[in-house]
Amino acid sequence: MKLIILLIIFPILHFAQLSPEVKNLYQQISKGEKAESSHTGMEGTESELYKLHKKLDEIANDKEVEYIAFNGNPVAKYYAANILFNRKSKSIEKIFEYYLKSKDSVQTLKGCVGGVSRLDYELYINVISEKQTIDAMQWEKKWKDSMITSGKQNSPEYLGLVDMLNTKTIWTKKDVDSLAYRLEQTTLNNHDASKKLIELICFRYLHENKKVPYYGKIAYFDKKYSSEYIKKYLRFCRFGLK
């Protein structure tokens, strides 16, 4: 009897964490089979699922989004984690560690490219990709300032592009590097971390020509996975050879 009662009240408790408006959006997002980017397919069709996630971002508070990030289905977790990262939430590290241990995977569709990957991988790649967003935002600001300074703010070139150039982020590169470092330490201290995630860490530092002092931790995964990409990074750390 106690078990039956628990099974009845669990869904009620589950959704009691969310306001009616947020719960409605969460339920709609949870019907999605894939986490989609803003535009998908060969024709770049605007994703209705992505728009729902943007609405969720507008009305849900941090606690509600955190609840979804920990308790939602994979698609809802994917979007919730991205929202919290964009808000620079302090819960990102806890969420990443949870995904690292749970090994949950999600189907994604980014533009025309679909695939399946783990949530910890998707969150980490979102973090390190933020540097590109910062670069884009800075370039857009310089372009707008130069057009205004030269008196071209009413030109067709400026008016035709100004509304499209609206990249925004509250992150700095220093803060991105700091968070990425902490996520990497969490990853490398977990001997069950996926091959794909370890290779992504190696790719990041090869791309940036950085030799990390803790490459010995990476060597453990070289033995575990025998990955050519991991071996390549270890050669770079030891001998400077890519």
Side-chain angles (χ1 to χ4, degrees), residues 164-179:
M164 297 173 58
L165 303 179
N166 57 0
T167 304
K168 294 179 181 178
T169 177
I170 60 176
W171 285 90
T172 66
K173 289 187 176 183
K174 181 178 179 181
D175 289 340
V176 169
D177 283 336
S178 178
L179 175 59

Side-chain angles (χ1 to χ4, degrees), residues 126-144:
N126 194 28
V127 171
I128 62 175
S129 298
E130 193 68 5
K131 283 187 173 184
Q132 297 176 20
T133 303
I134 295 169
D135 287 338
M137 184 179 68
Q138 292 174 343
W139 182 88
E140 290 173 11
K141 184 179 185 306
K142 287 180 181 179
W143 181 81
K144 290 176 183 178

Side-chain angles (χ1 to χ4, degrees), residues 77-88:
K77 285 179 177 178
Y78 173 93
Y79 283 126
N82 286 350
I83 290 171
L84 291 170
F85 172 72
N86 291 335
R87 293 182 183 183
K88 216 172 181 180

Side-chain angles (χ1 to χ4, degrees), residues 66-226:
E66 283 178 26
Y67 187 81
I68 294 171
F70 280 107
N71 299 284
N73 77 338
V75 171
K77 285 179 177 178
Y78 173 93
Y79 283 126
N82 286 350
I83 290 171
L84 291 170
F85 172 72
N86 291 335
R87 293 182 183 183
K88 216 172 181 180
S89 169
K90 293 181 179 179
S91 65
I92 286 297
E93 291 177 63
K94 292 188 298 181
I95 292 169
F96 178 82
E97 185 174 4
Y98 173 70
Y99 292 167
L100 186 66
K101 292 178 179 178
S102 70
K103 302 180 182 179
D104 287 345
S105 295
V106 63
Q107 292 190 57
T108 61
L109 180 61
K110 301 176 182 179
C112 299
V113 181
V116 179
S117 58
R118 281 176 34 169
L119 286 167
D120 53 3
Y121 176 92
E122 290 295 330
L123 181 50
Y124 177 76
I125 201 169
N126 194 28
V127 171
I128 62 175
S129 298
E130 193 68 5
K131 283 187 173 184
Q132 297 176 20
T133 303
I134 295 169
D135 287 338
M137 184 179 68
Q138 292 174 343
W139 182 88
E140 290 173 11
K141 184 179 185 306
K142 287 180 181 179
W143 181 81
K144 290 176 183 178
D145 290 345
S146 68
M147 293 294 284
I148 293 172
T149 300
S150 58
K152 297 180 180 179
Q153 64 268 34
N154 294 318
S155 67
E157 179 187 0
Y158 182 84
L159 296 175
L161 290 175
V162 66
D163 290 335
M164 297 173 58
L165 303 179
N166 57 0
T167 304
K168 294 179 181 178
T169 177
I170 60 176
W171 285 90
T172 66
K173 289 187 176 183
K174 181 178 179 181
D175 289 340
V176 169
D177 283 336
S178 178
L179 175 59
Y181 170 82
R182 296 194 298 275
L183 299 187
E184 288 156 9
Q185 293 307 304
T186 299
T187 301
L188 296 173
N189 288 332
N190 185 319
H191 288 177
D192 289 328
S194 70
K195 176 182 177 181
K196 191 175 179 181
L197 182 54
I198 300 299
E199 288 181 330
L200 180 57
I201 292 172
C202 292
F203 171 81
R204 178 201 175 197
Y205 283 115
L206 274 173
H207 178 71
E208 296 182 0
N209 286 309
K210 287 185 178 179
K211 298 180 182 181
V212 296
Y214 46 86
Y215 72 86
K217 292 183 178 181
I218 296 175
Y220 167 83
F221 293 96
D222 176 41
K223 294 179 181 178
K224 179 173 183 175
Y225 294 124
S226 189

